[in-house]
Amino acid sequence: MSSSEPKLDRRSFFRASLGAVGGLAALAAALEPLKDFDRSDLTLDQFLQKHYKEMSAEDMQKVLDRIEKEVEKRYDVRPEIKDVKPRDGVEFVYALNLGACIGCRRCVHACVAENNQSRDPEIQYIRVLEMPRGSIDIEEGNHHYERPKVPSPDHFYMPIQCQQCENPPCVKVCPVEATWQEPDGLTVIDYDWCIGCRYCEAACPYWARRFNFTEPSIPKDDLNPNMSYLSNRPRKQGVMEKCHFCLHRTREGRMPACLEVCPVGARKFGNIRDPESEVSKILKNKHVFVLKQEVGTHPRFFYYFDEDYGPAIHGEGR
Amino acid sequence: MSQRKTSRNGSHATPGWVPGWALGPILFALAVWLHASGLLTPIPHAATPPFDHAALSTAPRRQILGDPPTLKINDFDRTCMDCHKIFKTPTDKPRPLNQHKNIHMDHGPNVKCSTCHDWDDRNRLVRPDGVSIPFTKVVDQCGQCHVRIRYDWGYGIHGRTNGYWDPKSGPQERRICTECHDPHNPKSPAMDPISPLPGPHTLRLTNPHGEHDQ
Amino acid sequence: MKEYLRFLGRCFALSFIGDWRYRLWMLILTVIALVGLHSWSEQLVHGLITTGMTDQVSWGLYIANFTFLVGVAAAAAMMVIPVYIYHREELHDLVIFGELLAVAAIIMCLLFVTVDLGRPDRFMHILWRFNFPISMLAWDVIVLNVYLLLNLHICGYLIWCVYRKRKPSRVFFIPFVFIASVWAISIHTVTAFLYVGLGGRPFWNAAIIAPRFIASAFAAGPAIMILTLQVIRHYTRIKVLPGALAMLRRIVTVSLAINMFLLGSELFTEFYTQSAHVVSAKYLYFGLDGYSALVPWIWVSVFLDSLALLILFTPGARTVRWLNISCAMMIVGIWIEKGMGLIIPGFVPTPLGEIVEYKPTLNETLICLGIWAFGALIYTILVRVTVPVLTGRLTFDKDLPMDVADSPEPALIEKESLT
């Protein structure tokens, strides 16, 4: 309070400048990490890209061309990215025979390979739970079982992935409509629209959604070049992803990767609107159930027990 | 906001233990520290341990026999009858075999070879009702006893279906009984146990004591 | 218009003027805010992997602080209700400090949400495709921003009028005050519904959460105001009548008591029923399968809240010192209970029963501290500008007060009893 003259003298001007420059330097130093920012991620084209549903066919073609180039630059592989549309009269349903599943986790890793998930940090869409016989409560499941051989006679195995709910809580909560349900029942994500708030991840009762906490890493040789916009094209840091029933395969009539690799035929997939399809027959003939029916999500993923004679029947002595 | 604040501070030097001239240097020191400090939190890694990717094959677990079944012996394709025409089987009674020693016979009441194999034409099977069928129609053979499973298999409920879910788009591959099960020894569980692939290694997995699980 | 720009310029200039304590305080806040900014820059480059969050615990300290601060923002403006509905005139001149706190708190809330985003560069996507009215987050974006605008308008208009030596027009003022006080409830209710609406998370999917949010906010918000008003009283010429603090104390006491009652009801329901849904509460209060990172925290919170309530019920709370102690305890207690104590257990165990614990990283903590410091910086500047205007030392026809003689006359600093 000693010197309160309103005009700046030379000394106080010097002090003020020193403070200002020091402040600017500190600000610059605080922002310095941003110079390592991946600028390929911040192009004007990407900034102006429209929401999936608002893109015309030409818009989409341009975007696909651009993404193909980006992927090629990064992975040295020229991918073929398509925008596969849903088919009329098709609604996909999955059925899984818990009596047959042996918990070998081949579906988990086939999915990773097919859908270009990050290897480090690890992202997997399917979790296989080892459940003690005598309980169907998934809280009892062991996610981290390691044994030389499966199945263990005292357990059964329950793979869980996106249930493609008819009433999906994740779609409800997304503030920017970056995730929605398609006419064939698949809940998809526009990876270029997601803002990464992770509200959907909190909303999902099946813990099916995964977040890219950092830039995903995929070995160049392992990249699956057969891609589509809404499914397995490489994701970016900071967006959500999840199982989409391999829509780039299934919308072309093929089976999803997790099913193809299943060594015991526990996985069944098809069109529920076709009464002759395998899944229709299962729903008609077997006693199926869905996970967490009480949360009202109406999953399109059904579980059933069939044809498993446990150790009590086929014991060692027989 | 820092530079705004300090730009005027200098003009109002007041007594106290932060004189105005110190602000600039303090902020400079901060700048140097920020520049030098870098990332304060190490980035964790969580990668799947390596495993044999051959495990991700979609091929059936067992090789099946064609019609007629052939076997390469000395670079020649031989069928069953190539031998069985010459070497006659002495008796149909259950007994230790001199040939086919890899076969471990344990299939409930079916103890005789001739229960399933056509005694006269070893290139074919025989149904319990006496009808001779080729090896490729083994489903009809098994289905004679395992009736319910045979129905389920017919609907696609039991067994593997690979390829296309939509037959109009492409071929469907239905795996038949012996592509998964060993007909001589259909144990429970119905197939041999196999090694599981690695479990999840997500970020920041810890055990109850805060140590990282590996 | 020109006059308004000049006013803004003068406010801007004024925020750099102060005595050494003011400058030290501002310097510390600036340094912390810059360190936080640095950490955020690191996070932008490397991703949210720099935080302790995982797919299992996908929200952490950011959302915890966000939730707490929404409560602070809501409650700060609630001081309006006793003033205008019950005509408690002793609070009349102090309401503006509550609304300024609301402004600062909402800005902090918005910052906490922004740093929590994986792709803040795409934030404007909410302008092109906004999932309203389905998504509760969309509601929250609207109510928070409208609330910010309402409070900015109320404070700005009031200060501008006093600066121009005009009498505030009731049409431009009173309706907004009422809207803001109702809106304050809405921001906190909507924020509670953000969690309550998730059927897959039984720990949050309970109707009692929203009332508890309001009750705890009405305790923590006025508690912060009690502490803030005393700072203002000690360092400025604004008069804070003892009756004002007594009024706030009453609000705080009742709200905290209701909060504790609701907490008790919740715990009874969870633990007496022992349904499958109790696991998260078990994890929070007693630990689950040997995982117990939150247990010490929540018991500290329960202890602080209970002790604060006990003190408030005794005559001791009528002295400023004990009132301050109980307010400080309650703020910390509610911050734990409503932040980490509400958000983290919702994720533990995961819907599939897996347990992964959450521990904030240094980087993440620094970002939080930075936002708190930035919020405090904003609030300090707002108060710094408001005080000379309200005391009539800064009006459009006066020179900028270049000295810092906003300190009160010594007589006012004396310790007073609140009764």
Side-chain angles (χ1 to χ4, degrees), chain B:
Chain B
M1 72 250 87
S2 66
Q3 73 276 21
R4 286 198 254 133
K5 189 178 81 62
T6 50
S7 63
R8 287 294 187 89
N9 269 337
S11 63
H12 300 284
T14 50
W17 44 280
V18 187
W21 60 263
L23 295 177
I26 287 174
L27 288 169
F28 269 119
L30 175 69
V32 170
W33 180 73
L34 288 179
H35 176 72
S37 67
L39 187 62
L40 297 168
T41 307
I43 290 180
H45 287 272
T48 313
F51 63 92
D52 183 8
H53 282 257
L56 300 182
S57 157
T58 58
R61 298 181 67 176
R62 301 182 82 254
Q63 289 255 309
I64 49 161
L65 300 170
D67 180 31
T70 52
L71 188 64
K72 270 238 178 333
I73 300 174
N74 300 336
D75 277 345
F76 286 100
D77 281 333
R78 305 284 181 191
T79 70
C80 303
M81 283 310 277
D82 287 348
C83 291
H84 282 276
K85 223 188 302 187
I86 304 159
F87 306 108
K88 295 288 180 193
T89 317
T91 166
D92 195 22
K93 273 189 193 143
R95 66 205 153 83
L97 298 176
N98 294 326
Q99 296 294 322
H100 301 305
K101 281 186 175 168
N102 57 331
I103 292 175
H104 171 74
M105 193 61 207
D106 182 5
H107 194 160
N110 309 298
V111 288
K112 289 198 257 176
C113 305
S114 62
T115 310
C116 298
H117 293 277
D118 191 330
W119 191 253
D120 302 318
D121 181 358
R122 293 301 168 81
N123 286 345
R124 294 172 74 82
L125 299 170
V126 65
R127 283 191 345 203
D129 58 3
V131 178
S132 175
I133 54 168
F135 273 78
T136 48
K137 294 210 166 164
V138 69
V139 174
D140 288 346
Q141 173 86 341
C142 304
Q144 292 282 317
C145 295
H146 303 281
V147 181
R148 216 187 64 147
I149 295 179
R150 173 64 184 83
Y151 271 111
D152 280 358
W153 185 87
Y155 291 136
I157 298 175
H158 183 97
R160 292 178 71 174
T161 308
N162 288 70
Y164 286 76
W165 62 265
D166 176 16
K168 282 179 238 122
S169 305
Q172 256 186 0
E173 294 167 47
R174 299 299 322 281
R175 301 288 174 220
I176 61 172
C177 311
T178 48
E179 285 182 283
C180 296
H181 304 283
D182 179 352
H184 298 117
N185 183 20
K187 303 177 284 293
S188 172
M191 289 167 244
D192 283 331
I194 52 175
S195 310
L197 295 184
H201 285 74
T202 53
L203 288 169
R204 299 177 202 281
L205 278 183
T206 53
N207 66 22
H209 310 292
E211 294 145 9
H212 285 271
D213 275 343
Q214 263 325 313

Side-chain angles (χ1 to χ4, degrees), chain C residues 231-239 404-413:
Chain C
V231 173
I232 290 171
R233 179 171 65 162
H234 279 269
Y235 293 110
T236 73
R237 285 187 182 167
I238 298 286
K239 292 197 179 83
V404 284
D406 262 321
S407 313
E409 289 93 62
L412 277 174
I413 305 180

Side-chain angles (χ1 to χ4, degrees), chain C residues 37-226:
Chain C
L37 183 65
H38 181 255
S39 296
W40 188 35
S41 308
E42 296 281 14
Q43 180 186 298
L44 284 174
V45 172
H46 299 280
L48 285 158
I49 199 168
T50 54
T51 70
M53 289 185 271
T54 53
D55 278 321
Q56 285 86 353
V57 185
S58 50
W59 280 343
L61 213 48
Y62 299 148
I63 296 296
N65 278 303
F66 160 77
T67 312
F68 177 77
L69 282 167
V70 172
V72 172
M78 298 316 298
M79 284 171 48
V80 174
I81 292 182
V83 173
Y84 290 97
I85 297 180
Y86 301 112
H87 301 290
R88 300 302 299 233
E89 290 302 322
E90 64 266 37
L91 277 171
H92 197 282
D93 295 334
L94 304 176
V95 161
I96 187 150
F97 294 105
E99 297 193 325
L100 291 175
L101 181 64
V103 169
I106 290 288
I107 290 174
M108 286 155 83
C109 286
L110 296 175
L111 284 175
F112 271 116
V113 173
T114 309
V115 297
D116 190 61
L117 292 182
R119 299 298 304 226
D121 54 315
R122 297 182 183 163
F123 190 71
M124 71 301 156
H125 282 182
I126 60 165
L127 300 177
W128 318 138
R129 281 190 89 91
F130 195 48
N131 191 9
F132 185 83
I134 305 296
S135 170
M136 275 298 124
L137 202 52
W139 277 79
D140 221 23
V141 169
I142 290 181
V143 292
L144 286 179
N145 282 299
V146 170
Y147 188 65
L148 178 63
L149 292 178
L150 278 172
N151 280 298
L152 277 176
H153 166 75
I154 294 168
C155 301
Y157 182 69
L158 192 70
I159 295 170
W160 171 244
C161 286
V162 177
Y163 175 79
R164 296 285 295 167
K165 290 184 172 171
R166 278 197 228 139
K167 197 172 162 47
S169 151
R170 290 182 72 82
V171 181
F172 283 117
F173 186 58
I174 300 296
F176 290 98
V177 170
F178 277 101
I179 293 171
S181 58
V182 176
W183 205 274
I185 297 179
S186 86
I187 65 168
H188 216 29
T189 309
V190 169
T191 305
F193 286 173
L194 215 63
Y195 310 108
V196 173
L198 305 183
R201 308 267 174 192
F203 186 71
W204 294 338
N205 190 215
I208 206 166
I209 300 269
R212 247 189 86 192
F213 264 39
I214 305 277
S216 62
F218 273 54
I224 291 180
M225 280 318 298
I226 288 176

